[in-house]
Amino acid sequence: MRLQYFRKAVGLNNTIEEEATKSVKSQQAALMIHANGTLNHFPPDTWKCFTNDGKEAAANSLLTSTKNSASIDSYMRDQCSENYPVGHRRWLLWPRLKEIGIGNTSQYNALWVLGNPKCTSRCTGICCMAASRISTCKTSLPKMVFFHRKRRFLRN
């Protein structure tokens, strides 16, 4: 799984599971976004192909106009200034992430990352990958930055 590759690159080794109900709802979100040709975390009920499950998934998901494994690359790059405060990369590299839901069409992806009922341990920080090193990441591990609650340090 492409997501596991990036997580291992920053030292996260826990298993991420696909949760079937979240994936069904995420698929509905991706279809709604595809049918309307725009990304929206809070789609109105006037949208084509609208469902309440799709609306719930859109509110709890990362959304991009790419599909399959390319969507993970898109989230990791977090391109464009409007994505800076969003932190797609932050959600994918959250140490406590345990389960996801996946929805794809031929042009869009919805990846449910919010709400992890299986979390039992306390998180001590957030792993982040330098955006400049994400485009290839094939031959060398990117630098990892770990933000501790009280300190910040850089690790190679």
Side-chain angles (χ1 to χ4, degrees), residues 25-135:
K25 292 178 179 184
S26 295
Q27 185 62 43
Q28 291 177 34
L31 177 63
M32 288 168 41
I33 291 164
H34 185 104
N36 293 278
T38 188
L39 302 173
N40 190 335
H41 288 284
F42 306 101
D45 58 7
T46 56
W47 263 23
K48 298 175 199 169
C49 303
F50 178 87
T51 66
N52 284 320
D53 285 346
K55 181 178 181 174
E56 178 188 7
N60 289 287
S61 297
L62 306 179
L63 306 173
T64 188
S65 57
T66 57
K67 61 180 180 171
N68 300 327
S69 63
S71 64
I72 301 299
D73 294 341
S74 172
Y75 297 132
M76 292 302 293
R77 284 187 192 102
D78 243 350
Q79 292 178 323
C80 302
S81 59
E82 64 268 12
N83 280 332
Y84 176 74
V86 178
H88 296 105
R89 190 177 320 126
R90 177 253 184 245
W91 284 109
L92 294 180
L93 299 179
W94 184 42
R96 294 175 60 189
L97 183 64
K98 301 284 184 190
E99 64 181 37
I100 59 173
I102 305 165
N104 282 297
T105 68
S106 61
Q107 295 177 334
Y108 293 93
N109 172 270
L111 184 67
W112 189 316
V113 293
L114 301 181
N116 274 273
K118 294 182 180 183
C119 289
T120 56
S121 62
R122 290 187 59 196
C123 178
T124 59
I126 299 168
C127 295
C128 298
M129 191 178 295
S132 62
R133 301 291 303 269
I134 292 172
S135 59

